[in-house]
Amino acid sequence: MKTKSSLSSEFEALVEQGSQSSDARLVEESKKGDRDAFGELVQRYERRLRRVIGRFINDADIIDDLAQETFLRVYEKLDQFDPSRRFSPWLFQIGVNLTLDYHRKCKRRIWAVLFTDRSADRWIEAPEADPRPVQNLQLAVRATINLIPEKYRTVLVLRDMENFSTSEIAAILDRKEATIRWRLAEARNRFQELWEKRQRNE
């Protein structure tokens, strides 16, 4: 007899397969010039793309620009897309690279505004009344994350904040899954060590 967990996993796998199949169909129709099909792809992924970009940037106008630029690049490169691959990691690879490139060109640090209010709730317990303690703790978390090298921080955000799977992150960052798992473990360890050190010094 199958457990509830295994049935849930099978259901999620079926849903994912259906989504991949649907994406593949929309991509093929888009390649043939069907703008409505590409519009469906945009509608399907725009919200999450904007949220991912928003993990790195705290400016709504720039988020808009980068999201639009991502979809423009995707549309222009549809003929280069390998249909044997999944569409969504390819899309997010373009979006994440554009976002990181933007910060490098501007010589800004990309993690100063990493955590949104929603993401902060995942890391800490919000107080019932006075919001200042959680705000101060959020700033401390940001400062700690900022000390972790970029290649580890990127994996940490995509996995722990945006819940991408290791296989998806591997596709987004064009790395092997083993590399992603190692970087994630390293990022978590570094965060814990830095956080404990910070606590001891306060």
Side-chain angles (χ1 to χ4, degrees):
M1 182 177 180
K2 293 182 179 179
T3 66
K4 183 177 180 181
S5 176
S6 64
L7 287 173
S8 176
S9 297
E10 287 183 11
F11 176 76
E12 290 176 358
L14 288 172
V15 170
E16 183 175 3
Q17 288 174 6
S19 176
Q20 292 179 39
S21 175
S22 177
D23 283 353
R25 176 181 57 81
L26 291 172
V27 168
E28 286 306 309
E29 292 176 358
S30 298
K31 285 182 177 180
K32 296 175 183 177
D34 188 338
R35 291 184 177 272
D36 289 337
F38 189 74
E40 286 188 46
L41 287 171
V42 172
Q43 186 174 14
R44 179 172 295 181
Y45 290 106
E46 182 176 22
R47 180 177 295 181
R48 192 177 190 191
L49 176 64
R50 287 174 52 82
R51 192 174 70 229
V52 169
I53 295 172
R55 296 295 187 188
F56 304 92
I57 295 173
N58 196 32
D59 185 313
D61 290 336
I62 296 175
I63 292 172
D64 286 340
D65 290 345
L66 287 171
Q68 291 176 14
E69 179 66 17
T70 298
F71 285 115
L72 178 62
R73 294 279 185 93
V74 166
Y75 188 77
E76 291 175 342
K77 294 182 177 182
L78 278 178
D79 288 338
Q80 302 174 28
F81 175 66
D82 181 355
S84 67
R85 297 177 58 191
R86 292 179 56 200
F87 174 75
S88 60
W90 183 66
L91 165 70
F92 286 104
Q93 179 184 53
I94 293 173
V96 169
N97 284 339
L98 280 173
T99 302
L100 296 177
D101 287 344
Y102 167 81
H103 278 284
R104 292 185 187 113
K105 289 176 182 177
C106 295
K107 297 182 179 179
R108 297 177 181 175
R109 306 197 67 158
I110 67 175
W111 303 97
V113 290
L114 174 63
F115 292 97
T116 62
D117 291 339
R118 179 181 297 178
S119 63
D121 291 341
R122 299 185 189 179
W123 285 79
I124 53 182
E125 293 293 332
E128 295 182 0
D130 190 348
R132 287 173 296 181
V134 69
Q135 292 170 351
N136 292 337
L137 188 53
Q138 183 176 350
L139 290 174
V141 170
R142 290 175 181 172
T144 303
I145 286 286
N146 202 38
L147 297 174
I148 301 173
E150 180 182 296
K151 65 180 180 180
Y152 303 120
R153 291 179 295 191
T154 303
V155 174
L156 186 66
V157 168
L158 293 177
R159 182 69 187 95
D160 287 349
M161 306 309 298
E162 282 300 323
N163 296 316
F164 283 101
S165 68
T166 52
S167 62
E168 288 174 327
I169 298 172
I172 290 170
L173 300 180
D174 195 21
R175 294 291 185 273
K176 295 180 179 179
E177 282 191 58
T179 300
I180 298 302
R181 287 193 291 270
W182 182 84
R183 287 186 181 182
L184 178 61
E186 182 68 14
R188 289 169 173 169
N189 287 337
R190 291 194 183 205
F191 177 87
Q192 183 175 356
E193 291 172 1
L194 289 166
W195 185 256
E196 290 176 353
K197 180 178 180 181
R198 185 186 184 93
Q199 296 302 302
R200 289 195 299 269
N201 293 335
E202 288 185 351

